[in-house]
Amino acid sequence: MTQLVCENLSLGYNGRKIVEGLSFEVNAGDYLCIVGENGSGKSTLVKTLLGLMPPLSGVIRMSGLTRREIGYLPQQTDYQRDFPATAREIVLSGFQGANGAHPFYSAAQKKAASGNMEKTGVLPLARRCYRELSGGQQQRVLLARALCAASRMLLLDEPVAGLDIKAADRMYEAVEKLNAEGVTVIMISHDTSAVYRAGSVLHIGKTLFFGSREKYLESEAFRGLGGRGK
Amino acid sequence: MSGLASYFSYPFVKNALIVGALIALCSSLLGVTLVLRRFSFIGDGLSHVAFGAMAVAAALGISNDMPLTLVITVISAVLMLRAGGGAGIKGDAALAMVSVGALAVGYLLMNVFSKSSNLSGDVCSALFGSTSILTLTKLEVWLSVLLSVFTIAAFLLLYNKLFSVTFDESFAKAVGVKTGLYNLILALLTAVTVVLSMKLVGSLLISALIIFPALSAMRVFKSFLSVTVCAAAVGVLCTVCGIVASIVLATPVGATVVAVDIIVFGVFYAVGKLR
Ligand SMILES: Nc1ncnc2c1ncn2[C@@H]1O[C@H](COP(=O)(O)OP(=O)(O)OP(=O)(O)O)[C@@H](O)[C@H]1O
Ligand SMILES: [Mg+2]
């Protein structure tokens, strides 16, 4: 079942185009990897999909999915890295969108937050201070928060940036487990490591590519990114 | 000791302590969010605007200047949030312009229009607070109590929203939190708090009330809740001790309160390092 279709999208800021002619679609349960060099417009695409900014032209269609049902893991900013808050406080804040004007979290939400921390392997860290966690642990806390916001589709912006290989693997495993449970995953990356884990690939930059991973590994675009095939 | 107790029998001392504690509570609660969002400059800019507004009230010969100051400061808060939000360096410079401009115009107005025989005393009191907390009228006490209770209630109801917007605004916006609305409320609450604080510490020292308790708490505590609670406690205690000390030692109230804040920050800094 198709969840998300983008047709002939042009993206950019203040009328200045960064990407144009972007078309792709995502089915329920897919694992799509979006790759491209630094500055090619990946985060811009994410922000557009989330409705944080409008596309310059083109259409985004969602079926059986609303924007609210997309969980989002933003590219991390430095100042969050030393924020005084516990992992649990941060994970709970994922429910804020669903709460509307309601001021407090319900008991069911608190339980669900624990469940999501369990899924991403950070439940033992729930009471620890976020700024004292490792980069990989921080990312898995944010993944749990994204799950609280929505459990049908996850949009992850460079979730393994700055992590060592072991921490990156744990992150990838957590994401794969969620994908196996039926969550649609869209993962952004600026290198090729994530490509091997995905089902399909969208490459943005000077050349555009959208298709299965197998086809991508043989494509011109992949070689442009520094990939050398298998 | 009995000397100290006798001070508390004076109603003006009781009023000063009640109003001072409430003001400290408001500013330290908001301070946590403002500091973490790097919004301290808004408090600073608003305090200068409040000074300018007070001067306008004085020039117009309005004896109770709080309502007018409140209106002008609230409007400026909304404008500042707009400017600070999108325009980058230009926004930053615009804020500095408004803030320093208000200070200059305020002083000018006071100079030209003041009928007071003690002009430099008035200016000093507006900038550094001096004794205005000890000379509150009944109306001012009630207005202060009302506004602080309102601010504290709003903060408590919005606590979780403010947390999510403070920690990660773009995430909050993406999941459907009305971030614009909460930013606006935050700016309004800040404006109200700034106007209230004018009475206690004066225009130039307001930022201290906002940032010191939050910074102290962040040195030692590790969850947002404990930081918030600790900042509130530190803010209130420092202010009460500062007011009492200033009466006993016959020092300026605002500066004494801030001095206590600084000492406590030093203690928290040391404790944080020792851990
Ligand atoms: N708020 C903004 N206003 C104007 N231009 C912007 C803004 N944010 C990003 N850009 C520009 O848009 C282009 C694409 O940025 P984007 O953040 O989407 O890149 P990216 O592919 O995510 O890169 P990275 O791998 O470094 O995260 C860049 O040239 C950037 O300078
Ligand atoms: Mg990016």
Side-chain angles (χ1 to χ4, degrees), chain B residues 25-214:
Chain B
L25 191 53
C26 293
S27 51
S28 51
L29 286 177
L30 292 176
V32 176
T33 305
L34 293 176
V35 166
L36 282 170
R37 298 189 69 182
R38 318 268 147 100
F39 269 9
S40 329
F41 66 91
I42 289 194
D44 205 49
L46 285 180
S47 62
H48 295 176
V49 170
F51 170 77
M54 245 169 99
V56 171
L60 295 175
I62 301 171
S63 58
N64 183 9
D65 51 21
M66 211 146 138
L68 180 70
T69 315
L70 197 60
V71 170
I72 296 183
T73 313
V74 161
I75 293 173
S76 313
V78 176
L79 295 179
M80 280 189 178
L81 192 73
R82 286 266 164 78
I89 287 202
K90 250 171 37 205
D92 203 42
L95 277 178
M97 229 165 67
V98 171
S99 141
V100 78
L103 211 53
V105 171
Y107 183 50
L108 198 62
L109 283 175
M110 279 183 124
N111 247 300
V112 174
F113 290 98
S114 173
K115 294 171 196 79
S116 154
S117 54
N118 180 16
L119 177 69
S120 55
D122 287 351
V123 172
C124 190
S125 143
L127 289 180
F128 294 103
S130 67
T131 55
S132 39
I133 189 82
L134 297 174
T135 56
L136 294 173
T137 63
K138 215 171 186 134
L139 180 68
E140 283 172 329
V141 172
W142 280 113
L143 207 53
S144 303
V145 170
L146 202 73
L147 286 174
S148 351
V149 168
F150 166 78
T151 303
I152 294 161
F155 180 87
L156 293 180
L157 285 177
L158 295 178
Y159 170 82
N160 284 318
K161 313 261 177 254
L162 287 177
F163 173 83
S164 73
V165 176
T166 305
F167 179 68
D168 192 342
E169 187 168 355
S170 62
F171 176 87
K173 199 169 170 198
V175 299
V177 175
K178 297 192 182 68
T179 53
L181 175 68
Y182 296 118
N183 282 341
L184 183 67
I185 295 178
L186 184 64
L188 296 182
L189 295 179
T190 309
V192 171
T193 304
V194 162
V195 172
L196 289 173
S197 311
M198 284 290 284
K199 294 280 169 219
L200 177 59
V201 293
S203 172
L204 291 185
L205 298 179
I206 288 174
S207 293
L209 279 192
I210 294 179
I211 61 179
F212 272 111

Side-chain angles (χ1 to χ4, degrees), chain A residues 184-221:
Chain A
T184 313
V185 174
I186 300 181
M187 185 186 287
I188 313 281
S189 171
H190 70 261
D191 62 29
T192 52
S193 64
V195 169
Y196 298 104
R197 311 206 169 231
S200 50
V201 179
L202 171 68
H203 180 115
I204 57 182
K206 276 175 224 101
T207 45
L208 293 179
F209 175 94
F210 173 66
S212 70
R213 178 187 58 194
E214 289 76 18
K215 286 220 183 81
Y216 178 66
L217 292 177
E218 285 154 16
S219 72
E220 205 53 48

Side-chain angles (χ1 to χ4, degrees), chain A residues 12-14 16 18 36-45 47 75 157-158 188-190 204:
Chain A
Y13 297 89
N14 312 320
R16 200 174 59 85
I18 292 167
E37 289 161 21
N38 288 125
S40 55
K42 304 181 296 293
S43 298
T44 308
L45 174 59
K47 283 183 231 160
Q75 202 165 3
D157 196 348
E158 307 215 10
I188 313 281
S189 171
H190 70 261
I204 57 182

Side-chain angles (χ1 to χ4, degrees), chain A residues 7 9 25 36 39 43 45-46 79 97-98 113 120 138-139 143 150 153 170 196 201 208 210 230:
Chain A
E7 276 167 19
L9 280 186
E25 56 177 68
S43 298
L45 174 59
V46 168
Y79 102 97
T120 63
Q138 290 183 340
Q139 285 298 73
L143 183 62
M153 179 185 276
R170 284 206 68 180
Y196 298 104
V201 179
L208 293 179
F210 173 66
K230 269 206 162 168

